[in-house]
Amino acid sequence: MYCENCGAELPDNATFCSSCGKKIAHGQNKNVYIALLLTFIFTGLGSIYAGNTKKGLILLGVRVLLIAIGVFVNIVLILAMLVWAYAYFEAYRDVQIANGHSNPNFINEFKGWNRNNQIIAVLIIAIILIFTVSSCVSILTVNSYSDDDSNTHYYVSNGGSSSSSSSHYSGVDDSPHTIAKNDPDWYYDHYEYGDNDKIDEYLESQGYD
């Protein structure tokens, strides 16, 4: 179990905290569902509710730091999501310790639960995993779109001779006129009307306004 005052881990039979001296109240009977809900609201809050204030604040601090970095580097937001998911496991473990289980083991405890509790546990885990995976996929998708937009902007601003066109037409003539004829759809999406009269006429003849 943990000291509610300083978060130090203590033996199950401890009467006073060996770290701060506070008297330990036994039989706290913390509710695991409340801890999980608090974790959903705020990372680390479930551990704080269970009495492990130190761990809860560390989880919260790490996630806030990763989110701050993620504002500038999107991929780091994936780590923030993983910390959020991990906080649920720690909240469950801290509640079990607060309730007198010195060495909680989720797998063994799961096997001993009744059918209804097992179904609830599976649903909660599934929701956490789905939310985490979908968020990570969204972050990766946004990051990919950002890279594509940067390449497109670079292509247009350099008159159509950029790494974007080179990667799209690797090993072939990637001059604007050739691209317009070979792939007018792609070129039309990346071309500013009025830059080249011949290309304008060609695209108009192909039905592009």
Side-chain angles (χ1 to χ4, degrees), residues 30-42 44-50 87-88 90-92 94-95:
K30 297 291 185 178
N31 189 301
V32 68
Y33 297 115
I34 293 177
L36 296 178
L37 178 60
L38 291 173
T39 301
F40 179 81
I41 296 172
F42 226 62
L45 199 56
S47 291
I48 294 174
Y49 160 78
Y88 284 95
E90 288 299 329
Y92 169 82
D94 290 336
V95 165

Side-chain angles (χ1 to χ4, degrees), residues 89 92 103-113 121-122 125:
F89 170 76
Y92 169 82
N103 189 27
N105 185 309
F106 176 76
I107 302 298
N108 290 338
E109 291 168 5
F110 179 84
K111 293 177 181 178
W113 293 344
V122 170
I125 293 172

Side-chain angles (χ1 to χ4, degrees), residues 65-85:
L65 177 62
L66 291 174
I67 290 175
I69 297 174
V71 172
F72 305 98
V73 185
N74 286 349
I75 200 74
V76 177
L77 293 175
I78 292 179
L79 295 178
M81 285 305 306
L82 295 178
V83 170
W84 175 81

Side-chain angles (χ1 to χ4, degrees), residues 1-10 15-30 46-55 57 94-95 97-99:
M1 63 180 179
Y2 296 103
C3 173
E4 287 188 338
N5 185 52
C6 68
E9 189 168 0
L10 304 171
T15 305
F16 291 90
C17 175
S18 58
S19 179
C20 68
K22 183 177 177 63
K23 186 175 181 179
I24 304 302
H26 291 276
Q28 298 178 62
N29 195 28
K30 297 291 185 178
S47 291
I48 294 174
Y49 160 78
N52 196 342
T53 306
K54 182 179 179 181
K55 182 189 292 182
L57 291 176
D94 290 336
V95 165
I97 291 176
N99 290 341

Side-chain angles (χ1 to χ4, degrees), residues 166-206:
S166 296
S167 61
H168 189 79
Y169 296 99
S170 179
V172 299
D173 181 2
D174 62 353
S175 64
H177 193 270
T178 301
I179 294 174
K181 288 190 173 183
N182 290 343
D183 192 350
D185 286 332
W186 186 90
Y187 190 81
Y188 183 73
D189 291 336
H190 299 79
Y191 168 73
E192 290 190 355
Y193 188 83
D195 286 348
N196 188 305
D197 293 337
K198 291 183 178 180
I199 294 177
D200 292 343
E201 292 176 3
Y202 176 78
L203 291 176
E204 289 173 358
S205 70
Q206 298 300 310

